[in-house]
């Protein structure tokens, strides 16, 4: 199985290094020196990683045969693709590869259906599930243990306990409950999920 593990960013310096947007939870394995990666577009590869280092919080890679800034800049926006055993699992039991999480049904603890995971977004601060709802809209669910309380690969579902406002339904339920428990007019507002902007693994 082929999985995207990184996207090449800007050239760094004049010796062929590039920044990369990591899209794997195991960069030390997938993006290690000596790794041979397929590419999208295919014409850019395959690429063999020669060196890797972290600089100012960003991973920098140099590929064999790329020796100057022009060569590095030519690779900008290229996707790096690794061959992964579909049956392999991360060493940490609480970690998952992206392909294991894709298409999982997302439900609340009471079984209420929320939607289906269509994408995993890797940000510097956390990972997000992009969940498509039945009406075609999308909601972002932070992949943190306080919210994602259970991943059941056998049942193909992710159970979540979202805070009020993260999911529209929850905001509406909270508003309805407030209306029932209060006398007089109530001004309700639905909260928006606070999304962190910023990019880890398959």
């Amino acid at each position: 199985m082929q999985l995207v593990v990184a996207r090449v960013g800007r050239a760094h310096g004049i010796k062929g290094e590039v920044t990369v947007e990591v899209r794997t939870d195991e960069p030390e394995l997938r993006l290690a020196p000596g790794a041979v990666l397929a590419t999208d577009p295919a014409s850019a590869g395959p690429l063999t990683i020669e060196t890797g280092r972290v600089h100012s919080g960003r991973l920098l890679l140099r590929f064999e045969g790329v020796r100057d800034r022009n060569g590095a800049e030519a690779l900008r926006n290229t996707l790096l693709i690794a061959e992964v055993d579909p049956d392999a699992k991360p060493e940490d039991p609480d970690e998952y590869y992206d392909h294991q999480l894709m298409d999982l049904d997302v439900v609340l603890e009471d079984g209420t259906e929320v939607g289906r995971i269509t994408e995993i977004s890797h940000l510097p601060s956390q990972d997000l599930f992009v969940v498509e709802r039945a009406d075609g809209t999308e909601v972002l669910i932070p992949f943190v243990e306080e919210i994602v309380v259970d991943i059941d690969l056998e049942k193909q579902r992710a159970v979540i306990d979202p805070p009020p406002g993260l999911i529209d339904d929850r905001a509406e339920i909270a508003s309805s409950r407030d209306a029932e428990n209060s006398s007089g007019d109530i001004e309700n507002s639905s909260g928006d999920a606070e999304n962190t902007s910023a990019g880890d693994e398959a």
Side-chain angles (χ1 to χ4, degrees), residues 106-108 112-116 131-134 139 141 160 167:
V106 178
V107 301
L108 302 181
T112 301
E113 294 185 5
V114 176
R116 179 178 60 88
V131 178
E132 181 178 312
R133 312 196 70 174
V139 61
I141 307 294
I160 65 172
I167 297 177

Side-chain angles (χ1 to χ4, degrees), residues 6 63 65 108 117-118 150 161 163 179 188-189 192:
F63 301 104
L108 302 181
I117 298 175
T118 58
D150 184 48
D161 180 22
N188 295 319
S189 62
D192 293 328

Side-chain angles (χ1 to χ4, degrees), residues 52-179:
R53 65 188 180 98
V54 176
H55 175 75
S56 298
R58 298 295 301 273
L59 179 62
L60 303 179
L61 297 180
R62 180 186 287 118
F63 301 104
E64 290 184 4
V66 180
R67 292 288 176 239
D68 56 31
R69 188 177 183 87
N70 289 339
E73 193 62 37
L75 294 173
R76 191 167 184 172
N77 292 323
T78 297
L79 297 179
L80 304 178
I81 302 169
E83 191 69 36
V84 178
D85 182 346
D87 296 324
K89 297 181 180 180
E91 293 184 3
D92 188 332
D94 293 326
E95 292 184 354
Y96 302 88
Y97 291 133
D98 285 6
H99 69 271
Q100 295 175 302
L101 301 171
M102 290 292 291
D103 292 324
L104 291 187
D105 292 323
V106 178
V107 301
L108 302 181
E109 291 183 292
D110 63 5
T112 301
E113 294 185 5
V114 176
R116 179 178 60 88
I117 298 175
T118 58
E119 183 181 344
I120 314 296
S121 180
H122 297 287
L123 304 182
S125 58
Q126 64 185 9
D127 295 336
L128 294 174
F129 291 162
V130 179
V131 178
E132 181 178 312
R133 312 196 70 174
D135 61 4
T137 60
E138 291 184 339
V139 61
L140 301 179
I141 307 294
F143 187 17
V144 294
E145 62 182 6
E146 294 83 2
I147 296 176
V148 181
V149 297
D150 184 48
I151 297 289
D152 191 328
L153 296 181
E154 290 188 4
K155 294 183 178 180
Q156 285 291 287
R157 71 177 189 177
V159 181
I160 65 172
D161 180 22
L166 182 63
I167 297 177
D168 291 342
D169 288 350
R170 274 299 183 90
E172 293 169 5
I173 291 171
S175 297
S176 297
R177 185 181 301 117
D178 289 342

